[in-house]
Amino acid sequence: MLGPVLLAAARSDGIRRAVSAVPVTRSVVARFVAGEQLPDAVAVSAGLAARGLGVTLDHLGEDVTDKAQAERSRDACLALVEALGRAGLAGDAELSVKLSAFGQALPGGHDLAHRNVLPVVEAATAAGTTVTLDMEDHTTTDSTLAIHGDLRTRFPATGAVVQSYLFRTEEDCHALAAAGARVRLVKGAYREPAAVAYQDRRDVDRSYVRCLRILLAGEGYPMVGTHDPRLIAVTQALAARLGRARDAYEFQMLYGIREEEQRRLAADGHRMRVYVPYGTDWYGYFMRRLAERPANLAFFARSLATRT
């Protein structure tokens, strides 16, 4: 029952201020967030790449309230692409972007987000890396997939994310599982109404497996975003049954979660990519991580109890 409460708290400015004011919070957040500045993200990425792990970097900045902020998000991503190129990491690290950070929720947001993300995708392609469009709440799904489809006409490696808790996602997977398509499958981390999303975790998991089967049987490149041992095992079994080579799909996990399993999968010959967020706007991301897994909340509570 705590999940919905924490997801609501992720949208609360008052709770944001209270949590941020606790001195220990930043040290605990460091488990899940690479740092607040670009050099922090590059350093973490270099360390992961040295251990044989891929990286997808997310510059945190969802709460955009005007066009100037959206442009600053665009410029931060352009700076990230440039920094990855200088560090020789473009072959190991890609970008994940939320279109809300590019102005999607503003008036005229669809076109604004498209205009702002386009130069980022262009720069990433020129640098030898790729961009994946993260998925947010269900009200943005059509806009995000439309922008993704348009970008793929010029930049076919542009990735998309789908969420198994939405009823529509199986149909979306059929549409996306085309040659060259890069699709990340996740369960979903937003509070969604029963009219559009499964509410029971077992139903979400069943949907995940159905979507996974569609993507693995398709012609694209599935990116399996999960920490669930059962779903990892299901992925391996399905991939073997469908004749998928280990370099024809990848696992993705969040920075700071199940790190031993990340290393194990990489050592076993699987492609393993770590989702690494960074930036000053870490609060919403952090609260969703607490909502997803009780173990994360317990970790935070223990840290508060022992360090304050």
Side-chain angles (χ1 to χ4, degrees):
M1 296 298 292
L2 277 174
V5 175
L6 289 167
L7 291 175
R11 299 284 187 179
S12 168
D13 289 336
I15 298 176
R16 177 196 300 261
R17 289 192 294 271
V19 170
S20 300
V22 178
V24 71
T25 297
R26 295 298 179 91
S27 62
V28 176
V29 169
R31 170 176 173 171
F32 304 107
V33 178
E36 294 193 344
Q37 304 302 322
L38 178 55
D40 301 325
V42 173
V44 167
S45 299
L48 291 168
R51 295 195 288 275
L53 299 167
V55 176
T56 184
L57 284 155
D58 175 14
H59 176 260
L60 299 172
E62 301 169 55
D63 297 322
V64 167
T65 57
D66 58 49
K67 291 183 179 180
Q69 282 182 297
E71 291 169 357
R72 286 195 291 273
S73 293
R74 175 202 64 199
D75 293 345
C77 289
L78 290 171
L80 172 58
V81 172
E82 183 180 354
L84 292 176
R86 287 198 309 270
L89 290 170
D92 299 298
E94 65 171 29
L95 280 69
S96 280
V97 301
K98 291 179 173 60
L99 292 179
S100 62
F102 293 93
Q104 189 181 42
L106 300 177
H110 177 86
D111 293 336
L112 177 63
H114 190 288
R115 287 197 304 272
N116 281 330
V117 77
L118 179 58
V120 176
V121 177
E122 289 175 332
T125 302
T129 186
T130 56
V131 174
T132 293
L133 306 185
D134 278 340
M135 196 60 72
E136 302 179 71
D137 71 77
H138 78 279
T139 63
T140 68
T141 302
D142 284 333
S143 172
T144 299
L145 290 179
I147 292 173
H148 169 258
D150 184 75
L151 289 171
R152 281 205 73 226
T153 62
R154 292 178 55 193
F155 309 100
T158 304
V161 178
V162 291
Q163 303 170 112
S164 73
Y165 65 180
L166 295 181
F167 299 150
R168 63 173 289 168
T169 299
E170 285 181 67
E171 183 178 347
D172 289 334
C173 284
H174 280 295
L176 289 167
R182 298 168 59 255
V183 184
R184 180 195 304 149
L185 174 64
V186 299
K187 292 183 182 181
Y190 293 82
R191 186 179 183 181
E192 299 285 13
V196 301
Y198 298 106
Q199 304 297 304
D200 187 283
R201 289 186 177 184
R202 292 168 296 184
D203 290 331
V204 175
D205 287 353
R206 293 185 188 106
S207 174
Y208 193 102
V209 173
R210 293 193 299 270
C211 293
L212 181 62
R213 185 178 290 111
I214 293 167
L215 293 175
L216 286 170
E219 298 181 66
Y221 180 75
M223 301 180 287
V224 185
T226 185
H227 307 95
D228 189 328
R230 297 167 302 165
L231 293 179
I232 291 170
V234 167
T235 301
Q236 293 170 317
L238 280 174
R241 187 182 311 158
L242 294 167
R244 279 262 177 183
R246 290 188 178 185
D247 62 355
Y249 66 98
E250 68 181 42
F251 290 105
Q252 294 191 0
M253 296 186 190
L254 299 174
Y255 178 66
I257 298 180
R258 300 206 71 200
E259 293 173 313
E260 184 176 342
E261 178 67 357
Q262 294 173 15
R263 293 190 291 270
R264 184 192 71 80
L265 286 168
D268 198 32
H270 290 282
R271 287 188 172 183
M272 178 69 238
R273 189 176 299 275
V274 183
Y275 187 100
V276 178
Y278 75 100
T280 56
D281 193 14
W282 49 262
Y283 173 77
Y285 176 87
F286 178 59
M287 294 301 287
R288 285 195 296 276
R289 299 295 76 75
L290 297 185
E292 284 174 349
R293 298 181 69 237
N296 293 342
L297 182 59
F299 172 82
F300 185 43
R302 285 196 306 272
S303 299
L304 290 175
T306 58
R307 299 188 195 183
T308 55

